[in-house]
Every structure is written in structure tokens, then in C-alpha cells.
Amino acid sequence: MQNHLTIRTLLSFFASLLLFTMIASGQEESYPVPPEAEKQADVPEGKIEGPFALTSQIYPGTERKFWVYVPAQYDAQKPTCSMIVQDGLNRAKEWRLPQILDNLIHNKEVPPIIGIFVDPGIVPVANSSSDKAQPRFNRSFEYDSLGDRYARFLISELLPEVAKVYNLSIEPNDRALAGASSGGICAFNAAWERPDAFRRVLSTIGTYVGLRGGNKFPTLIRKTEPKPLRVFLQDGSNDLNIYAGDWYLANQEMLSALKYAGYEVNHAWGEGGHNGKQGAAIMPDALRWLWKDHPQPIKAGMNAPGEKRVDIILADSGWEQVSSGHEQAEAPACNAAGDIFFCDSRAGRIYRVGEDGKTRVFAEQTGRISSMAFGPDGNLYACNEGRQILRFDEAAKSTTFIADASCQWITTLPDGLYYSDSSASALYWSDYKGQKRQVDQLPIGVSGIVPTADHAFLNVGGDQSVYTWQFRVAENRALDARQRFGYLHLPDGELATGLSGMTVDDKGRLYVTSKLGVQVMDQLGRVNVILYGPPSSPPTSPATGLAFGGAALDRLYVTCREKVYRRKLNTKGVKTFEAPIQLPRPSL
């Protein structure tokens, strides 16, 4: 027995030494060719058509080619699944993808899939008199960049072009994205930005490092409400380790973040470098896993997440449409009963949503209202474009509360209200008799004001700053100790946050609208959760306001363009016009 153990130990030692020598000399380990990558008898072959040329308006001046793999089982009468592979036919061939699809489709291990193999764009040289000029190579810009640009290219330019000839399913559950290296992060990013269009992601040797912001993904995944995605990751321990980061560690960070957030995620780690060898070897198993249980839909948060620092999301409680058909819904506010009021600023009308969820007109011909808040007297206070603050009683009769006030945003307390004045770039305090005074200058252009639930501080935010500011509420409602306090996440390439409203809950958390969704900060100004926006709220059209409402104050209402949504959360809002509440000591 001891001799056998010694022999096995020696063999293991020599195998490790051989692998080390191969890596040190620049060689990399090889992987066996899977049987599914070989031509098999009686398996019908699909066909590859192309190359086809494609120009783009989203990437102006670019030219590219794409190819289409059509399985033998394709039926033009049925909408067919698709898989878009970045880096074109070369990547598909490196993975032996056409042959693997032939075999897996024939054995009914995956559904019939049309493969779309698309190259990155190039911008050709326009000056033909120069024989030394090179084209602009768009691969890194298109693939490594965050944001929704590439997803829009796929949805509005590539897929419609292929759909002219083939019957492609438009269901997101029937679409997969795949790529290697920069193409890997590109595939994940497009699905991340548009889970309404893509649900399955295959990423090999993915570039989740600091080339163009890909290193942000693990943090965003952990903070953002889970999206309905299924993700397969592959990488090797000898992948690149350069100025932008360590590829292998970055892929492990992605796996850890996806698991933490409750995603369906699988992986294959090896010891290879930055190449497609292991990716080709694991391709059949990766595809089987990606398409398992099809056509059962992929859902968000399929795997139970671990304990969260902030657990406000309730299972099976998504956004519910409350009202629609408005020109521009905004400025939501909650009264003592929990009813939500909002204005249609373009129509000059205020609406009321009761506990029954029905929308009723509250006031007509109000002019443009930018912000509203209820006082303890049951009156509704509103910033009007006519340089005044209006006061509406319960019968919707309006009077001028404060004249000559270029009011943008307003928030109420038991004994008065704060409002911002754009003409003076200042914050004002007024009691409910209309006696006003300036209490501080504004550090930024304001698009949200709300006190903390204990009334000790005043939060102020603006669309043009990634920071929110906080003022201390001093004696006689004066403000001091102004500080840049909270930090918001921005979409890639954006300079404006999209902040257009703020509210608080009874745990001291601050809820802020943004282009990424509703960002939820703890008492220390750190974003813990990002609630993914309502269906009609893509990143380019963020929510226009938010407020807690309902009899239990556990429903978050969001205005978004022509619609109003709500969702139930595992928390409770506060009415700032009532007595302050004691907050728990924050966990540092």
C-alpha cells in the first residue's frame, strides 16, 4: 500500500512539474476535443450563410460582417431561438460551435438555434491617397464599454437585419449572447442592460477588468436588484495579469458577486491562458446548461441569496402599474391617509390615487407643478411655475401661500417647510403662516430635498452631481454643517445622475431616483441597494419622482413619464410632516 502511495505521489509530482515547465516555457496545457465537436453519423448538418455586410447608425461610420448558422431543423413557420456570438465566424469556428450545435440540436439537448456570428466594427480610412493609414478598430470601444449602446445595436440594427430572412423569436428567454475576452464582457453587459431582450450569457476568459470600467460590475451586481439572467463563466489561472487587472481574479469576483445576488450561474476554471482552448472543450456542457429546461423562463433571483446588509426586496413583489396615459407624471406626495397625489405637469392637473389603486382627478388648471408635499394641516403645498407656492385644501381649492418664489422643490416638517429657490440659488424656511427666511446657499442645482426621519438633518440632491449633500438642522430651523455626504452610481459615460426625487424610510435610509434605478442609501450615505426600474423606465428615461404611500406606508410609488408604478417593499416610509422618529444607530 505504501509503495502504491509513493508511486502515485511521484506521478503527481512529475505531472505538476511538467505542467509548470510547459507554462514557464510559454506552452499551455491542451484540452481534449469533445465528441460533440466531431461530425457524427446520421446527424444533419446546418449551413452557414454569409458574410453579410452591416453598417450602423449607432456606431457611425462603422462597417462589419456577420454570418448566420441555420440548423437543419429550422422551421420558417416557427419563431426560432438565437445565439449571437461576438467576434464573428472566427470565434464560432474556434469553439467548433457549428458542429457542436448540429449534434446537440439533433439529440434534442438544446432547441433549434440560429447562430448569428458578428464581427466588431471598423471605420475605414476615408483618405485613399494615404497608403499608411489604418482604419479605426472599434472592438474595444464596442465590447469593453459599459452602458446600453451595444445592446441597442443588437436590438435595433443586427437582429432586424437577420429577421428579414429568418423567423427569429423575440422572447428574451429564447436569446443567448456569447463571447470571449472583450466579447465575453460585451455579451454580459448587453444582457445586463437589456434583460428584456436577452436572458442567457456565455462568457469565456471575460475581460471584467479596468479597461473601460468593467471592474465595476461585481459591485453593481451585488447592489442591484437581481435580473432574470443565466450566466456561464470560464477562465484559466494563467490568464492575463496586466495594467488593467488580473483576468482570472476578476472572473472569480464576478462569480462571487453573481452567487451573492442569487443568480443562476455556473463556471469552469482551468489553468490555461488567454485563449479559447478550454472554452472550446467545455462548450457542449456550457450550452446544455445554458439551455436546460427550455422553454421554461429564466427568472430573477432563482437561487436564494445570502444574508443582505439591507433586505428590502420582497419575493414576487415587482412593479405594478397604477396609472397611465398622462403627458408627464411627476411630483408624487403622500397625505396622512396614505393616498398618493401626483401631477401631470404638462396637462396642468393633479391626480389622487387611493388605497383601491384607482386614479381620480384632484385639481384642474394648476399650471406646471415641479414638487409637492403635504403639511400637518392636511393641505397640499406645491411649487408652481408661476413663481409661487400654492396651497390646496382638502376640497382642492387653491390659494397663494408664498408669492414671488422661484420654487423648485419642497419638503415639509411639523412646524413649516423648506424649499429651494433657483433665482437666488438658496434654501428657504417658512412656517405655515408664510413667514419665510433664507437659511443657506445651495451648493448644487437642486432636484430633491427631504429631511432625515429624525428631523436632525436635511438631505439635498441634484441631477448634476454624483454626491448628495446634507445640512444639520439647527435651532429655529437654521441650517449649518453642510457636507457632501452620499455617493451615487452613474451609468457609464453619463455625467448626470437623473436624480429627480428623494424620500426616506423609518430605518433612516434615503431613496433616490437615478438613471440606474432607485438607489437606496444607508444612514452613512452609502448605496446598499439599487432597485431596477419599472418596465417603461430604461436607463435613458429614469423615474421623475418617488414617495412612500398606502395605509401601511410600505408601497413605493414612482412616477415615470406617462405612467405611475408602485411596489411593496419590506420597509415602511415616514411622513415628514409628523413627529420625528428615533432611528437605530447605523452599523459602520
Side-chain angles (χ1 to χ4, degrees):
M1 177 68 72
Q2 187 173 2
N3 289 338
H4 288 305
L5 288 174
T6 303
I7 291 171
R8 280 200 294 267
T9 302
L10 287 172
L11 288 173
S12 177
F13 169 77
F14 284 120
S16 299
L17 181 61
L18 177 61
L19 177 60
F20 174 80
T21 304
M22 291 169 62
I23 293 171
S25 63
Q27 301 178 43
E28 295 165 345
E29 84 283 13
S30 61
Y31 291 89
V33 176
E36 299 90 344
E38 303 284 3
K39 182 172 174 55
Q40 298 177 7
D42 302 323
V43 173
E45 292 186 44
K47 59 181 179 179
I48 296 178
E49 299 187 340
F52 304 104
L54 182 67
T55 57
S56 172
Q57 297 299 316
I58 293 174
Y59 295 105
T62 56
E63 299 175 357
R64 72 192 71 224
K65 296 177 181 178
F66 70 93
W67 294 258
V68 179
Y69 162 82
V70 186
Q73 297 84 355
Y74 170 68
D75 183 348
Q77 302 304 312
K78 298 178 181 179
T80 305
C81 297
S82 61
M83 182 165 71
I84 301 174
V85 177
Q86 320 322 309
D87 285 315
L89 185 61
N90 286 338
R91 183 69 67 200
K93 286 184 174 179
E94 179 187 45
W95 284 343
R96 302 173 184 259
L97 192 56
Q99 186 64 65
I100 291 173
L101 286 175
D102 282 347
N103 291 322
L104 295 186
I105 294 171
H106 175 72
N107 294 328
K108 298 186 177 353
E109 295 178 279
V110 300
I113 298 170
I114 288 181
I116 305 169
F117 312 145
V118 59
D119 280 342
I122 64 168
V123 179
V125 175
N127 184 0
S128 59
S129 63
S130 172
D131 59 357
K132 297 181 180 180
Q134 293 189 40
R136 179 199 300 163
F137 298 102
N138 235 36
R139 183 175 185 270
S140 178
F141 176 64
E142 293 179 10
Y143 286 7
D144 293 318
S145 297
L146 276 61
D148 71 341
R149 186 191 304 266
Y150 192 79
R152 289 188 288 112
F153 160 73
L154 297 178
I155 294 166
S156 63
E157 295 186 335
L158 177 63
L159 284 170
E161 190 68 20
V162 180
K164 291 177 181 178
V165 180
Y166 298 103
N167 188 355
L168 300 180
S169 172
I170 62 173
E171 292 296 325
N173 191 60
D174 294 342
R175 290 172 172 170
L177 297 174
S181 187
S182 294
I185 189 176
C186 176
F188 178 83
N189 178 64
W192 171 265
E193 290 288 340
R194 295 297 301 269
D196 61 321
F198 309 102
R199 297 282 169 90
R200 305 172 195 271
V201 178
L202 172 59
S203 167
T204 69
I205 54 173
T207 305
Y208 302 99
V209 296
L211 288 177
R212 294 179 182 268
N215 54 306
K216 299 176 185 177
F217 261 133
T219 298
L220 291 175
I221 290 167
R222 288 176 179 272
K223 292 186 177 185
T224 304
E225 178 180 3
K227 303 178 183 183
L229 301 177
R230 181 181 291 169
V231 183
F232 193 101
L233 302 170
Q234 175 275 325
D235 201 9
S237 57
N238 288 287
D239 201 346
L240 297 175
N241 185 3
I242 58 174
Y243 69 94
D246 186 315
W247 265 244
Y248 185 56
L249 293 181
N251 274 271
Q252 292 181 78
E253 283 278 349
M254 287 289 291
L255 176 65
S256 177
L258 289 164
K259 284 184 173 180
Y260 171 82
Y263 282 83
E264 278 193 283
V265 58
N266 202 349
H267 70 282
W269 301 148
E271 296 179 323
H274 200 73
N275 59 60
K277 294 181 180 180
Q278 188 187 12
I282 57 95
M283 188 58 54
D285 287 337
L287 292 177
R288 289 187 186 99
W289 183 82
L290 273 181
W291 292 94
K292 67 176 183 176
D293 302 329
H294 184 272
Q296 294 297 318
I298 295 172
K299 297 181 180 179
M302 288 292 290
N303 297 322
E307 182 179 353
K308 297 288 173 52
R309 185 181 181 90
V310 175
D311 194 4
I312 63 173
I313 299 173
L314 293 171
D316 301 322
S317 179
W319 293 105
E320 169 194 3
Q321 183 175 299
V322 174
S323 187
S324 63
H326 308 289
E327 294 184 53
Q328 182 63 45
E330 55 188 346
C334 179
N335 70 2
D339 293 348
I340 285 290
F341 291 66
F342 68 92
C343 73
D344 186 332
S345 58
R346 292 178 183 171
R349 188 178 295 120
I350 298 175
Y351 291 91
R352 177 177 187 164
V353 180
E355 186 66 19
D356 59 5
K358 294 183 179 179
T359 302
R360 301 172 176 87
V361 174
F362 173 71
E364 298 271 15
Q365 298 180 341
T366 61
R368 187 189 185 282
I369 302 293
S370 60
S371 179
M372 302 192 300
F374 275 91
D377 51 9
N379 293 325
L380 177 63
Y381 296 82
C383 296
N384 180 269
E385 65 178 353
R387 295 178 58 84
Q388 59 189 336
I389 299 177
L390 300 177
R391 176 165 56 192
F392 295 85
D393 63 20
E394 294 183 6
K397 181 181 178 181
S398 69
T399 55
T400 299
F401 175 64
I402 295 178
D404 193 27
S406 297
C407 176
Q408 296 168 293
W409 299 92
I410 192 170
T411 191
T412 52
L413 290 166
D415 53 341
L417 55 86
Y418 288 105
Y419 69 92
S420 64
D421 189 313
S422 59
S423 63
S425 189
L427 279 168
Y428 283 81
W429 167 261
S430 172
D431 61 23
Y432 287 112
K433 295 180 181 179
Q435 300 298 312
K436 67 175 184 176
R437 68 179 188 278
Q438 182 177 332
V439 289
D440 212 321
Q441 291 297 121
L442 289 173
I444 53 175
V446 171
S447 51
I449 304 175
V450 69
T452 55
D454 59 4
H455 299 180
F457 297 89
L458 184 70
N459 294 298
V460 175
D463 174 57
Q464 298 300 312
S465 174
V466 297
Y467 300 100
T468 61
W469 292 73
Q470 199 174 78
F471 299 74
R472 181 172 59 183
V473 178
E475 292 296 325
N476 200 27
R477 298 303 186 189
L479 298 176
D480 63 10
R482 182 176 72 191
Q483 180 175 303
R484 195 172 67 181
F485 192 65
Y487 175 81
L488 294 168
H489 294 281
L490 278 175
D492 186 67
E494 294 281 354
L495 299 177
T497 63
L499 191 155
S500 59
M502 309 168 79
T503 191
V504 292
D505 69 10
D506 63 354
K507 297 298 186 294
R509 293 182 286 250
L510 176 65
Y511 295 68
V512 180
T513 60
S514 79
K515 292 180 179 179
L516 287 178
V518 178
Q519 301 195 39
V520 184
M521 294 184 187
D522 60 18
Q523 288 175 261
L524 303 178
R526 305 171 299 194
V527 173
N528 289 179
V529 180
I530 302 174
L531 298 177
Y532 195 55
S536 68
S537 175
T540 53
S541 300
T544 54
L546 78 170
F548 278 101
L553 283 181
D554 59 353
R555 285 176 170 80
L556 184 66
Y557 285 78
V558 169
T559 52
C560 179
R561 296 182 295 182
E562 76 280 6
K563 298 179 181 179
V564 181
Y565 296 87
R566 69 181 178 187
R567 69 181 298 180
K568 188 174 182 180
L569 296 177
N570 184 32
T571 190
K572 183 179 180 181
V574 297
K575 300 166 186 169
T576 60
F577 55 81
E578 295 182 343
I581 65 173
Q582 184 174 359
L583 294 173
R585 180 180 175 84
S587 173
L588 303 180

